[in-house]
Amino acid sequence: MSVALMWEARAVDGRGDDLLAWARAQALPGEPLRRETFRAPQDRVLVITWWDAPLDADLPELAEPAPELVTRTVHRWRFESVEER
């Protein structure tokens, strides 16, 4: 089974590049199957990591950035893959 962890944060106005650089620099204690980083309007950054693990597995996640870098607490979601019909 594979699980995807999604991490999304919104930077303080004008700090989107700083948040993106911070997210890219974050190492995880384990190696995911795949890791992708995205950016969106309003200085938002999204990181998705894929793992070969069950949905409730204890997996490494990106930390919270420094409070002066973000406008709110990071949003996190966890999804499990489903078979195609």
Side-chain angles (χ1 to χ4, degrees), residues 15-26 37 39 45 69:
R15 304 274 323 259
D17 288 339
D18 296 331
L19 180 60
L20 179 61
W22 180 91
R24 285 179 164 170
Q26 300 310 296
T37 304
R39 68 183 327 160
V45 174
L69 191 56

Side-chain angles (χ1 to χ4, degrees), residues 63-83:
E64 291 279 333
E68 62 271 9
L69 191 56
V70 293
T71 60
R72 57 166 167 74
T73 304
V74 168
H75 291 174
R76 300 169 192 275
W77 300 275
R78 192 175 276 227
F79 296 90
E80 64 183 337
S81 61
V82 294
E83 292 183 27

